[in-house]
Amino acid sequence: MRSRVAVIIRTKDRGRLLGRALDSVLGQTFSDWRIVIVNDGGSRAQVDDALEPRLSRIGDRLLRLDNEASLGMEAASNLGIRAVDSEFIAVHDDDDEWAPEFLATTVSYLEEHPSDGGVSVETEIVYERLTPAGRDVEERITFEPDLRDITLVDLLHYNRFVPISFLFRRSVYNELGGFDENLPVVGDWEFHLRFLVHHHIGLIKGRPLAFWNQRRAALSSEANSFIARTDEHQLYSLKVRDRLVREHAQAFGLGPLLYQRELLAVETGRLHQRLDEISRQQSEGTEQLARLMGDVEQIQRNVRAASQPLPLRALRSVRRRLRERGERQRSLGLHTSREHAVVHSAVSLGKQQRIAILGDVGQHEYHVGDEAMTHAAIAALRKRGYEKFVVLTHDVGQTSGLYGVPAAPRPEVPWNPFERHQLLQEVKHLLDGGPATERAADVVRTFQEAFSGCSTLLLAGGGNLTSQYGGLLFERLAAIRVAHSMGLKVVVSGQTVGPVLTGPDRDEAAEALRLCNVVGSRERHTHDLLTSMDVESVQVLDDAAFFSEGVDVDASALPPSGYIAATFAPGSGAMPRDDYHRHMARLLDLAYEHLQLPILLLPHVSTFGARDGDQECHAAIARLCTAPDIRVLEQRPAEETAALTANAELVISSRYHPVIFGLSAGVPVLPVAVDYYGEARIGGALESWGLKPLLRSLRHLGDGNDAKWVNSVIGQRAEIRDHLQQHGRELKAFHVGWWDAVAAALSTGSMPETLVPIPAVTNNSALIVEEAESQEAARLNASNEIAIGNLAQHTEWLQGELNQAAARPDHLGAGVAVIAQAGQKLLSRTPLPAAAKRFRTRVSR
């Protein structure tokens, strides 16, 4: 039979949602329709269950197509549309709904507007949570409330209307050739773009007639593709844009595109030029202010001198100059490289030398990873005969007690990109013998006091040389500069650099790291990045690798049959916090189902005696778990936490160092990275052990392969243990050799030429781990996050420049007013014609 409207419903394993969609069609006041259900490789039983109570009302207006395997959303749409003949087409997703008047209103519109190819209606997003009894509606919001017309210009940015809101003519569909079946997502947007190139689409406003249902926390088949496959949407959105740009270039050449790109660059340049102009005007104003102040001071001195005998005036002038010089020296208390170059004796270069260690220790929240790396560095050097250390810290008392060595405070540093870059320039100028600002003097003085009597600065390992943690980056660059100016050797142990380094940060990091005697990069990504920055480095393991060896654990407090150790950071990247908690709880439940072992949630960052940081996150995750034995542990010292992790049967973690502790102890790991910074670090560590494919990121969770990933790792845990133990001996020997070389460099200032490179570890043939995604998608995600990080840094940078420029005029005006007032007051009291005339002339200018 032929109906005026074909309603295409694509479905796969969403029986109860399908039933609701069918009710939405059955409730229409317009009845000349036919439903085409395309079951795209899903359960036939679920489709049967949804249809059975509704068949009598649907009657002969149903066509059902069952695909043996999934063809994808766009192919399913094409299959359904081409199976029937109709004047109008609507693609009704199986989880969305219509108001009863949708078809009657849209069909009537297209009858009245024969030149329009289709029509969209006002749409409401309904955030829902599915329950056994139905659903709970969490929130309703209007989708694109400011949209007044459907235009191609608007859709170039993103899709401004969705399939559930759209009715279109079959003739246009035939003309365009249907949906692009090569796109697993964003196919509707690409179809809409082609549609609008040739045909207008009407818009019906007033009240919502279409309802786009979304479930923020749903997993597996009941999740929205728009939410669950966000990264895939971004990837294929870029692919569509790139293809269309290439087609445009092929037809019209690159000229228009190059012009638009140049126009953007010109406009950006004008913004920077305006900022430079403001800065120049303020500099000129400041110079004028200084000249005016000098005139006033001269007038004041002349007034005082006129009433004093000549010998007394001369005496007071000499005394004033001596006082000013002494105050200036006392206020700085600094040693510049030109005045106080440090020359070490032969004894100070040996094992009796004092070593300053800078790691992120003594923080308000105890950080197991940072503390472990500093502990490991000190222990490694003590084994090689070095005993004199000073540790830079935020908490001198705590650090001195934990490490049994002297501690020194670290300077307070800014985090805003503009402020820290300005301060770094001030520090560099000061160390070069230039004028000092108070804040630069404070930074330099703090480091010089900490480095006093030292021959070497050791930057303990970490992930702090990145714009993402700009305050820590500044601190290390400033420390390197001060240490180098004092004649200290600088050794950088296992560091992650980047992956986000803004233009200024990249240049400053490269310049500072070239001053170092030894640089250790703890993953291939960092080594390659440093090479591109013309910085020599040695690829090494993390400082805390093998840290747990020799640490005893009270076995009586542990589950006798073994346990799963898990650690999760509160940071959830781009994922909403509640969704992150649910996904992590799901991983724990999957692991428990297989191993039937208790789960110990080990915090790595939190305050002793307080349930904050990781502990708070763990409590939220534990509440969502169905596993019967899950324990939220309190914060423990680094040694104990590392040992507890190393003695587990399985490690699950979104933090870096639990993965390190697990790998070096031969424990299988399930690592999750919350952002590209995590992917670079955790992925780099796994790559060193030949297990990089084990890593999954947040964008992979909920893609339907969670259980497959967990099953694969747990099912191969014996092979993974063998793999780790086999290569662990080789990697440990390399790690020992690295610290031998560091110890030698403390005396000679350079690495031994005999240092062997890090062993290349690959999977053995018995260990099969599937890649989580294509390399192209991984690179694209990395580029996106780096671009976003650079944009955020640049935005804060421009805001800092604008704030600085905006603040100066008020300061200048106030200064001129004070000077003018003081000058007039002096002139009214003093018969100094020459000075008065000069002052009036200067003010009048």
Side-chain angles (χ1 to χ4, degrees), residues 281-392:
Q281 292 173 351
Q282 301 312 314
S283 297
E284 292 176 354
T286 302
E287 292 174 3
Q288 181 186 12
L289 177 62
R291 289 195 299 269
L292 291 172
M293 292 179 68
D295 285 344
V296 171
E297 290 175 357
Q298 183 60 45
I299 293 173
Q300 290 174 330
R301 286 193 291 270
N302 290 341
V303 170
R304 297 191 191 98
S307 61
Q308 296 175 357
L310 182 60
L312 180 59
R313 279 182 281 168
L315 177 61
R316 289 185 175 177
S317 176
V318 172
R319 186 174 60 188
R320 173 179 55 80
R321 292 176 182 175
L322 291 174
R323 183 175 66 250
E324 290 174 352
R325 179 182 298 176
E327 289 175 351
R328 183 166 60 253
Q329 292 175 345
R330 286 193 299 272
S331 67
L332 296 181
L334 305 171
H335 309 291
T336 64
S337 57
R338 292 184 299 184
E339 296 175 352
H340 296 278
V342 178
V343 180
H344 297 287
S345 66
V347 174
S348 68
L349 288 174
K351 294 186 177 181
Q352 295 304 310
Q353 67 175 290
R354 195 181 194 208
I355 303 168
I357 298 181
L358 175 57
D360 283 329
V361 300
Q363 302 179 54
H364 172 68
E365 289 184 319
Y366 184 83
H367 195 302
V368 166
D370 288 323
E371 301 282 347
M373 289 183 289
T374 301
H375 275 295
I378 292 176
L381 293 177
R382 277 178 169 162
K383 287 181 180 179
R384 290 156 179 85
Y386 294 90
E387 290 293 341
K388 296 181 179 180
F389 305 98
V390 58
V391 179
L392 280 73

Side-chain angles (χ1 to χ4, degrees), residues 112-423:
E112 296 171 3
H113 299 80
S115 62
D116 284 2
V119 62
S120 181
V121 301
E122 186 167 314
T123 305
E124 187 174 72
I125 301 176
V126 181
Y127 289 106
E128 62 180 5
R129 182 172 58 84
L130 299 180
T131 65
R135 72 171 179 181
D136 290 335
V137 174
E138 299 172 339
E139 185 181 9
R140 291 178 179 269
I141 61 173
T142 301
F143 179 58
E144 298 294 325
D146 298 328
L147 194 64
R148 292 295 175 262
D149 194 10
I150 304 293
T151 67
L152 181 58
V153 172
D154 285 331
L155 256 72
L156 290 177
H157 185 35
Y158 62 89
N159 203 8
R160 302 295 293 272
F161 65 98
V162 289
I164 192 62
S165 71
F166 190 32
L167 183 76
F168 55 94
R169 300 183 192 275
R170 171 179 288 277
S171 59
V172 179
Y173 172 86
N174 293 338
E175 173 190 334
L176 297 177
F179 294 91
D180 186 344
E181 298 182 4
N182 294 316
L183 297 174
V185 291
V186 305
D188 53 331
W189 175 56
E190 190 271 345
F191 179 72
H192 296 164
L193 287 172
R194 286 187 283 125
F195 201 114
L196 282 165
V197 170
H198 303 285
H199 299 277
H200 180 257
I201 296 175
L203 176 63
I204 300 173
K205 299 284 287 186
R207 67 183 183 89
L209 297 179
F211 303 96
W212 185 16
N213 296 324
Q214 296 187 22
R215 293 159 298 284
R216 295 184 176 109
L219 302 175
S220 302
S221 63
E222 291 184 345
N224 294 83
S225 66
F226 178 75
I227 295 175
R229 301 167 70 179
T230 299
D231 291 284
E232 199 171 5
H233 275 76
Q234 294 174 350
L235 170 62
Y236 281 91
S237 172
L238 286 177
K239 285 179 176 291
V240 169
R241 295 176 195 276
D242 183 65
R243 188 194 74 200
L244 295 177
V245 168
R246 283 188 280 107
E247 290 175 359
H248 182 277
Q250 291 166 6
F252 302 102
L254 287 172
L257 298 174
L258 290 173
Y259 170 75
Q260 294 173 22
R261 181 64 184 85
E262 181 63 19
L263 180 63
L264 177 62
V266 168
E267 291 302 320
T268 303
R270 286 178 180 172
L271 173 61
H272 286 282
Q273 185 178 6
R274 177 57 181 153
L275 287 170
D276 292 341
E277 182 181 348
I278 293 174
S279 179
R280 179 183 57 77
Q281 292 173 351
Q282 301 312 314
S283 297
E284 292 176 354
T286 302
E287 292 174 3
Q288 181 186 12
L289 177 62
R291 289 195 299 269
L292 291 172
M293 292 179 68
D295 285 344
V296 171
E297 290 175 357
Q298 183 60 45
I299 293 173
Q300 290 174 330
R301 286 193 291 270
N302 290 341
V303 170
R304 297 191 191 98
S307 61
Q308 296 175 357
L310 182 60
L312 180 59
R313 279 182 281 168
L315 177 61
R316 289 185 175 177
S317 176
V318 172
R319 186 174 60 188
R320 173 179 55 80
R321 292 176 182 175
L322 291 174
R323 183 175 66 250
E324 290 174 352
R325 179 182 298 176
E327 289 175 351
R328 183 166 60 253
Q329 292 175 345
R330 286 193 299 272
S331 67
L332 296 181
L334 305 171
H335 309 291
T336 64
S337 57
R338 292 184 299 184
E339 296 175 352
H340 296 278
V342 178
V343 180
H344 297 287
S345 66
V347 174
S348 68
L349 288 174
K351 294 186 177 181
Q352 295 304 310
Q353 67 175 290
R354 195 181 194 208
I355 303 168
I357 298 181
L358 175 57
D360 283 329
V361 300
Q363 302 179 54
H364 172 68
E365 289 184 319
Y366 184 83
H367 195 302
V368 166
D370 288 323
E371 301 282 347
M373 289 183 289
T374 301
H375 275 295
I378 292 176
L381 293 177
R382 277 178 169 162
K383 287 181 180 179
R384 290 156 179 85
Y386 294 90
E387 290 293 341
K388 296 181 179 180
F389 305 98
V390 58
V391 179
L392 280 73
T393 175
H394 292 295
D395 188 330
V396 172
Q398 179 199 66
T399 298
S400 181
L402 287 174
Y403 292 88
V405 299
R410 300 154 64 162
E412 295 298 324
V413 297
W415 283 71
N416 178 275
F418 178 75
E419 292 181 9
R420 59 181 165 82
H421 182 71
Q422 294 294 101
L423 179 54

Side-chain angles (χ1 to χ4, degrees), residues 36 132 239 246 262 288 337 366 467 561 606 650 721 723 828:
V36 182
K239 285 179 176 291
R246 283 188 280 107
E262 181 63 19
Q288 181 186 12
S337 57
Y366 184 83
S467 299
S561 58
S606 64
L650 177 71
R721 280 191 179 276
H723 173 89
S828 66

Side-chain angles (χ1 to χ4, degrees), residues 714-844:
I714 293 180
Q716 300 177 85
R717 65 186 186 279
E719 291 87 345
I720 293 175
R721 280 191 179 276
D722 291 343
H723 173 89
L724 292 173
Q725 291 171 0
Q726 173 188 348
H727 295 287
R729 291 184 288 271
E730 186 179 10
L731 287 171
K732 184 179 180 183
F734 166 79
H735 190 60
V736 171
W738 156 250
W739 280 105
D740 288 341
V742 169
L746 296 183
S747 295
T748 64
S750 61
M751 296 295 288
E753 296 181 358
T754 57
L755 180 66
V756 297
I758 188 170
V761 178
T762 57
N763 294 340
N764 57 40
S765 58
L767 180 61
I768 302 173
V769 182
E770 296 182 4
E771 289 284 354
E773 65 182 349
S774 69
Q775 289 299 312
E776 180 183 3
R779 285 194 298 270
L780 180 63
N781 177 70
S783 298
N784 285 344
E785 290 207 29
I786 290 175
I788 291 170
N790 279 322
L791 179 60
Q793 297 284 324
H794 190 62
T795 300
E796 292 186 359
W797 182 282
L798 287 178
Q799 188 61 54
E801 289 186 327
L802 289 171
N803 291 343
Q804 187 180 70
R808 284 174 178 164
D810 291 337
H811 177 71
L812 176 60
V816 170
V818 170
I819 290 172
Q821 183 179 9
Q824 293 295 341
K825 186 175 181 180
L826 285 169
L827 291 174
S828 66
R829 297 178 179 177
T830 314
L832 295 175
K837 181 179 180 180
R838 186 175 60 180
F839 179 77
R840 288 196 181 98
T841 302
R842 183 63 58 82
V843 172
S844 66

